[in-house]
Amino acid sequence: GNSVTQMEGPVTLSEEAFLTINCTYTATGYPSLFWYVQYPGEGLQLLLKATKADDKGSNKGFEATYRKETTSFHLEKGSVQVSDSAVYFCALSDRGFKTIFGAGTRLFVKA
Amino acid sequence: GAGVSQSPRYKVAKRGQDVALRCDPISGHVSLFWYQQALGQGPEFLTYFQNEAQLDKSGLPSDRFFAERPEGSVSTLKIQRTQQEDSAVYLCASSLGARDSNQPQHFGDGTRLSIL
């Protein structure tokens, strides 16, 4: 079945460091891919998405490219801020409308 | 507000009690989802509604779990004879689209259920 695997956390970075959170997926079809973010005490929010191969999703300085050949959707940001501290979830959605989430990666950014 | 609203935010129940969790989706959203999120894990799909029709309940862990959306808006997730392994955060999400998997899901803040 479909699944999502993302790197384990926590990830601890200093402010202005470069961020990569790895995500790979297994899917039988051509799913849409998403990154969701959960800030402390808040609900899940959609951060960015990509709906087909080679699409790049971007938002708030974060980017991720849908790589079909490597079945990956890695999240990157060039310069993180303390306010980016949160839990990040990679997810996929197939035509059955069911969204499958990874286990989440907690990011701590130190000032 | 205009977001997905869930109530209560926190619920503590004794093992064996029944609980009911409520979700108010964004007005006009056709699709509604329930997820269960265990501590330190990602959300896991429970069930999906398109308007009032429950089209997928494959994620419900047992027949103690029951969900309804009788008028195609508010939804209730009911858990009967609760057990300790039911302790989790229950998330509700709604989406504008029906059969389009590209539509983003908007999540509520969740209900944290603790079974003693």
Side-chain angles (χ1 to χ4, degrees):
Chain A
N2 296 346
S3 66
V4 174
T5 303
Q6 58 183 107
M7 64 187 289
E8 289 188 22
V11 174
T12 302
L13 296 174
S14 297
E15 208 165 23
E16 300 184 2
F18 184 86
L19 168 71
T20 300
I21 300 178
N22 291 337
C23 172
T24 58
Y25 68 91
T26 301
T28 53
Y30 301 93
S32 296
L33 302 175
F34 306 86
W35 277 99
Y36 284 85
V37 59
Q38 190 170 31
Y39 297 104
E42 299 184 15
L44 279 167
Q45 303 174 26
L46 179 66
L47 180 60
L48 54 83
K49 69 175 183 179
T51 58
K52 61 182 186 296
D54 299 325
D55 267 2
K56 177 184 285 188
S58 60
N59 185 26
K60 300 181 180 180
F62 290 89
E63 293 184 340
T65 300
Y66 190 141
R67 300 285 188 200
K68 192 172 186 301
E69 64 275 14
T70 54
T71 62
S72 65
F73 193 55
H74 304 321
L75 182 68
E76 296 182 337
K77 186 174 185 182
S79 176
V80 293
Q81 305 300 313
V82 172
S83 57
D84 294 326
S85 297
V87 182
Y88 293 83
F89 293 92
C90 185
L92 70 81
S93 177
D94 62 17
R95 287 193 174 274
F97 224 8
K98 183 181 302 186
T99 300
I100 296 170
F101 290 83
T105 302
R106 184 176 295 277
L107 170 66
F108 291 105
V109 180
K110 301 181 297 185
Chain B
V4 177
S5 177
Q6 291 187 246
S7 60
R9 284 297 307 275
Y10 304 92
K11 176 69 178 177
V12 179
K14 292 183 179 179
R15 187 174 54 183
Q17 290 183 330
D18 298 348
V19 298
L21 313 180
R22 176 187 170 100
C23 173
D24 277 275
I26 293 173
S27 178
H29 276 197
V30 168
S31 296
L32 186 145
F33 307 79
W34 283 99
Y35 294 87
Q36 181 188 61
Q37 186 177 16
L39 189 64
Q41 298 297 315
E44 291 199 4
F45 172 82
L46 293 177
T47 188
Y48 163 62
F49 289 86
Q50 181 177 309
N51 296 309
E52 70 279 2
Q54 188 175 20
L55 299 187
D56 188 344
K57 54 182 180 179
S58 62
L60 296 177
S62 76
D63 59 6
R64 296 186 296 104
F65 287 70
F66 172 77
E68 60 183 5
R69 193 186 185 197
E71 297 179 358
S73 55
V74 171
S75 177
T76 303
L77 176 66
K78 298 179 180 178
I79 309 173
Q80 298 176 323
R81 304 181 303 281
T82 53
Q83 300 178 5
Q84 285 193 322
E85 61 261 32
D86 300 336
S87 297
V89 175
Y90 290 85
L91 297 172
C92 177
S94 69
S95 174
L96 182 62
R99 285 296 183 185
D100 180 2
S101 68
N102 295 335
Q103 294 284 338
Q105 296 179 28
H106 301 266
F107 284 81
D109 289 341
T111 294
R112 183 177 297 276
L113 175 65
S114 298
I115 305 300
L116 305 179

